[in-house]
Amino acid sequence: MLPPDNHIHTQFSWDTRSRSSMIRACEQALTVGLPAVAFTEHVDFIQWGPSDSPMNDLSQARSPGSIQPLDVEGYAASIAECRERFPDLRIRSGIEAGEPHLFSGSVAALLAQASFDRVLGSLHSLPRDGLLVGVGWFLKRETAYDVVRDYCTELLRMIERSDVFEVLAHFDYPRRYWPSAAGTYEESKVEEEHRAVFRALATSGRVLEINTASPLLSATAMRWWHEEGGGAVSFGSDAHTPQRVGERFDVAVDVVEAAGFRPGRDRYDFWRR
Ligand SMILES: [Zn+2]
Ligand SMILES: [Zn+2]
């Protein structure tokens, strides 16, 4: 029995659009045998809002790139349509909130418009030269392990300063962009930093995600999560195309099981210790 895929993007995410469709993602979930899915669309902000915590003196937080606001009404209509069309699949709504500790007011304003079953907290960017910049962009321009340490420090702040998210998404995000010049990634070099993040997350009673878009699927980090008191694990493919829904969950299940977690109360639940 596979766990729910709690991290999927569809046409409502600004970086996905025509690459995916909620209906096709549901079809794929049924094909691979998933009991449940959560459509966690990106929620990112370019400008600081009234109750945010700006880390610069500008009105702008980052270069706009192609970031667009979530179409909350269109998204809700699509969720309702899919629930009707696919009664055998548990379909959860959700968002992936980027840097929620910095954009607390903006995220709260969005959550006041609609309710979402799953809220993921994500760190994609760190401050560089006064603006938020994507980790992938500067990882190869700086000392890679120092970037991972910076990333963990900011994750800690995010956990301490934001309680809006239930699941910490892709704690291993920098590894997706690991530069070959930095050699093989050695987890042991950043063990203490990761343990500190996991301890804070466990203390706050939240859930760690195993993200199968990341290259690792390492049992070591999941074991650290267990040892630091982590109570639950969420599985997420981070699919931006329907074909990737539930991808590598067979491997992820083995990794999470080896770290000491088991299926939860029912097949729609997180895995628990
Ligand atoms: Zn993400
Ligand atoms: Zn994502």
Side-chain angles (χ1 to χ4, degrees):
M1 173 57 66
L2 293 175
D5 188 339
N6 282 315
H7 188 158
I8 299 171
H9 298 276
T10 74
Q11 71 269 29
F12 294 97
S13 282
W14 60 264
D15 68 346
T16 307
R17 301 301 182 217
S18 60
R19 290 158 71 199
S20 192
S21 101
M22 202 180 276
I23 289 172
R24 289 183 51 218
C26 289
E27 288 168 351
Q28 180 70 7
L30 289 169
T31 301
V32 300
L34 299 179
V37 289
F39 293 115
T40 51
E41 312 296 352
H42 284 295
V43 170
D44 297 298
F45 301 95
I46 301 159
Q47 305 280 333
W48 300 112
S51 302
D52 290 343
S53 310
M55 53 84 212
N56 62 17
D57 299 329
L58 311 169
S59 60
Q60 196 183 337
R62 51 162 54 99
S63 341
S66 42
I67 292 174
Q68 295 287 329
L70 175 62
D71 167 12
V72 176
E73 279 181 28
Y75 170 82
S78 184
I79 289 274
E81 184 195 351
C82 285
R83 283 177 178 156
E84 187 126 319
R85 271 173 93 141
F86 304 99
D88 296 336
L89 186 65
R90 173 80 60 100
I91 299 170
R92 289 187 167 108
S93 60
I95 58 167
E96 177 179 6
E99 295 81 40
H101 58 314
L102 301 178
F103 298 98
S104 49
S106 298
V107 175
L110 178 97
L111 293 178
Q113 288 180 55
S115 66
F116 295 90
D117 303 319
R118 290 266 182 266
V119 177
L120 313 182
S122 281
L123 186 64
H124 299 115
S125 302
L126 291 172
R128 288 293 183 273
D129 299 325
L131 288 177
L132 287 171
V133 178
V135 169
W137 193 86
F138 58 79
L139 194 61
K140 48 177 127 13
R141 293 168 177 83
E142 299 179 14
T143 306
Y145 284 102
D146 286 347
V147 172
V148 177
R149 289 183 190 104
D150 268 14
Y151 186 85
C152 287
T153 303
E154 197 65 29
L155 278 183
L156 258 184
R157 280 196 201 111
M158 196 172 101
I159 294 162
E160 285 161 2
R161 296 179 187 179
S162 173
D163 59 5
V164 80
F165 63 96
E166 179 186 24
V167 177
L168 176 65
H170 51 55
F171 68 91
D172 47 2
Y173 187 68
R175 286 201 61 187
R176 292 191 191 177
Y177 306 100
W178 196 249
S180 49
T184 306
Y185 183 85
E186 291 176 56
E187 279 173 315
S188 57
K189 288 190 176 176
V190 283
E191 176 173 350
E192 276 321 303
E193 290 83 352
H194 278 91
R195 282 187 181 274
V197 169
F198 294 163
R199 213 174 299 135
L201 191 70
T203 304
S204 72
R206 285 182 273 184
V207 180
L208 187 70
E209 175 187 87
I210 182 163
N211 187 301
T212 64
S214 297
L216 69 160
L217 291 174
S218 155
T220 307
M222 277 296 143
R223 207 182 59 242
W224 295 341
W225 170 236
H226 193 273
E227 287 169 2
E228 296 301 336
V233 176
S234 178
F235 293 76
S237 66
D238 213 349
H240 289 68
T241 59
Q243 300 75 25
R244 284 210 58 255
V245 169
E247 192 177 74
R248 298 205 290 167
F249 271 30
D250 49 345
V251 184
V253 157
D254 288 346
V255 167
V256 172
E257 201 157 37
F261 296 91
R262 299 287 173 267
R265 288 181 283 264
D266 57 46
R267 61 204 193 101
Y268 310 112
D269 193 13
F270 299 120
W271 277 35
R272 299 185 184 272
R273 63 190 294 133

